Amino acid sequence: MHPVRKKRLLVILTIALILSAAVGLVMYALQQNINLFFSPSQVAMGEAPRNVNIRAGGMVVKGSVKRNSDTLAVAFDVTDFQHKVTIEYRGILPDLFREGQGIVAQGKLKDDGVFEATEVLAKHDEKYMPPEIAEALKSAQNSTDESAESVQSTY
Amino acid sequence: MSWAWFHKLGSPKWFFSWSKSWALPLFCVGCVCLFVGLVWGLAFAPADYQQGNSFRIIYIHVPVAMLAQSCYLALGVAGFVFLVWQMKMAPVFIKSMAPVGAVMALIALVSGAIWGKPTWGTWWVWDARLTSVLVLFLLYMGIIALQNSLDDLVLVNKAAAVISVLGLINLPIIKYSVVLLETLHQGPTFTLTKKPEMPPEMWLPLLFSVIGLYCFVAGLVLWRMQTEILKREHRSNWVKQEVMEHGL
């Protein structure tokens, strides 16, 4: 390679290296702040500030959703499979809100550890499948849970 | 290894005649694949078990989002080649590619917002993935603005190449934001190491529209480069000859 080009190549590579190191360090330092929400473990550990507007997220625990029959008030637990946080919300939940699915809630963590949400967003995972397959998987799952005999009938 | 092809690519005259035979076929193949992929995906592929039909926007969102990143990667490589080898064709490529990439990034942002409203419940959220793609769009706009605001071609070429190379740092941030950080955007469905989290009747049409959009953009950019070459080389003899023989 021509010496001039070689020099330019080295200069550019050095600049690129220094720049990526700088950006990497900035990202590392900001990691806590770049995360969109606090996980239930972080809340349990006391990392989430109280009584300020934050976001908390996690998987909605199966069977934990309690709806008030007269109002739009709803309470449910979210988990990251280590800790749980109870979220209270008054309003219309997104269509994809389901037990066993992820959500992100915006609101305040009260002193009693209950999270009072002003907005609930549904987080969906990266899995996609047709309804029939999901149905088949579900019934296969149920039948293995209940008895081994019925498995053959579902196939 | 012979570097002849590399030096040939740097010659506007050679590139012009070479690209003439590639632009139209690439563009046509792209259109056909894109048509097949979109019709198949939007009308015939099965609906999702959670999201129903609203998931079908994936057949638009994922290809344009991939292109938005790939176009920028190409810009960065071209900028690097220009800064080291001073290749004449690299700025031509950056000039032709930047607006196409900007359009892709914009469509990715808009289609993502349209998808986000029914599924997440919001048009926009400042999570790491969405914000870094917005930065990508702004980088494209910066390069375009720079190219149009300065008259000195030497300066423009150099400045656009520098921004293109520096902006590359954003690409790993976009890619890994959903893996390393907590975001509202879901993780990648397709990875190199694992099976896709989607059955073939869903990803086959997606594959068609992705390949189709790549070919479509390649053809489009080759055409735009030809125009740019004619503009920049309008004083040279071979361009005069070309125009005399084939017309404009």
Side-chain angles (χ1 to χ4, degrees), chain B residues 189-218:
Chain B
T189 298
F190 303 96
T191 48
L192 288 177
T193 46
K194 275 190 295 177
K195 241 170 47 171
E197 301 278 9
M198 199 186 239
E201 64 260 41
M202 279 178 163
W203 62 251
L204 264 173
L206 188 56
L207 185 70
F208 266 92
S209 45
V210 168
I211 292 174
L213 197 61
Y214 268 99
C215 295
F216 176 87
V217 165

Side-chain angles (χ1 to χ4, degrees), chain A residues 15-16 19, chain B residues 72 139 161-170:
Chain A
I15 294 175
L19 190 82
Chain B
Y72 201 91
L139 276 168
V162 169
I163 300 193
S164 303
V165 173
L166 293 187
L168 280 180
I169 198 90
N170 192 28

Side-chain angles (χ1 to χ4, degrees), chain A residues 59-126:
Chain A
M59 192 83 91
V60 179
V61 179
K62 283 200 173 126
S64 73
V65 181
K66 292 182 214 70
R67 287 173 201 273
N68 188 315
S69 51
D70 299 329
T71 65
L72 284 172
V74 58
F76 52 89
D77 294 345
V78 294
T79 179
D80 57 356
F81 304 109
Q82 281 160 9
H83 294 91
K84 277 186 196 172
V85 173
T86 303
I87 295 183
E88 285 175 354
Y89 177 62
R90 190 179 287 266
I92 297 163
L93 291 165
D95 289 350
L96 274 189
F97 179 91
R98 258 153 242 201
E99 292 182 356
Q101 286 281 319
I103 62 109
V104 176
Q106 181 157 27
K108 285 177 180 144
L109 187 63
K110 293 192 292 189
D111 287 324
D112 57 359
V114 173
F115 191 89
E116 200 177 65
T118 51
E119 185 187 30
V120 173
L121 302 178
K123 184 171 156 59
H124 66 82
D125 59 15
E126 66 279 11

Side-chain angles (χ1 to χ4, degrees), chain B residues 37-248:
Chain B
L38 287 181
V39 169
W40 188 357
L42 296 179
F44 298 105
D48 182 53
Y49 76 120
Q50 291 276 10
Q51 303 177 33
N53 283 323
S54 60
F55 117 99
R56 291 182 196 277
I57 202 168
I58 199 172
Y59 297 109
I60 295 166
H61 181 72
V62 168
V64 292
M66 285 176 77
L67 253 299
Q69 293 172 75
S70 302
C71 289
Y72 201 91
L73 182 65
L75 277 197
V77 172
F80 180 75
V81 166
F82 180 70
L83 290 178
V84 177
W85 288 278
Q86 303 283 311
M87 208 187 218
K88 230 177 177 179
M89 286 309 296
V92 174
F93 177 76
I94 295 178
K95 174 99 188 181
S96 316
M97 181 61 110
V100 178
V103 169
M104 290 298 148
L106 185 66
I107 301 176
L109 287 169
V110 170
S111 62
I114 295 171
W115 194 4
K117 188 62 186 166
T119 49
W120 299 338
T122 181
W123 298 103
W124 182 264
V125 62
W126 290 99
D127 85 348
R129 171 57 76 84
L130 277 66
T131 311
S132 54
V133 175
L134 180 66
V135 170
L136 180 74
F137 173 66
L138 293 178
L139 276 168
Y140 278 124
M141 294 314 278
I143 293 172
I144 296 170
L146 195 83
Q147 284 168 337
N148 289 302
S149 58
L150 297 174
D151 287 333
D152 184 354
L153 203 60
V154 178
L155 195 63
V156 165
N157 288 346
K158 207 183 238 175
V162 169
I163 300 193
S164 303
V165 173
L166 293 187
L168 280 180
I169 198 90
N170 192 28
L171 291 182
I173 298 181
I174 296 178
K175 177 134 181 55
Y176 294 107
S177 56
V178 292
V179 183
L180 301 177
L181 301 161
E182 302 275 24
T183 53
L184 187 62
H185 195 287
Q186 72 282 6
T189 298
F190 303 96
T191 48
L192 288 177
T193 46
K194 275 190 295 177
K195 241 170 47 171
E197 301 278 9
M198 199 186 239
E201 64 260 41
M202 279 178 163
W203 62 251
L204 264 173
L206 188 56
L207 185 70
F208 266 92
S209 45
V210 168
I211 292 174
L213 197 61
Y214 268 99
C215 295
F216 176 87
V217 165
L220 200 64
V221 168
L222 284 181
W223 267 330
R224 289 177 55 85
M225 286 177 79
Q226 290 172 8
T227 315
E228 190 63 27
I229 290 172
L230 290 183
K231 234 193 253 171
R232 291 192 184 204
E233 305 282 319
H234 67 276
R235 283 204 185 82
S236 61
N237 280 325
W238 72 267
V239 170
K240 279 177 195 153
Q241 217 169 13
E242 178 78 31
V243 174
M244 295 293 243
E245 272 172 38
H246 302 284
L248 278 170

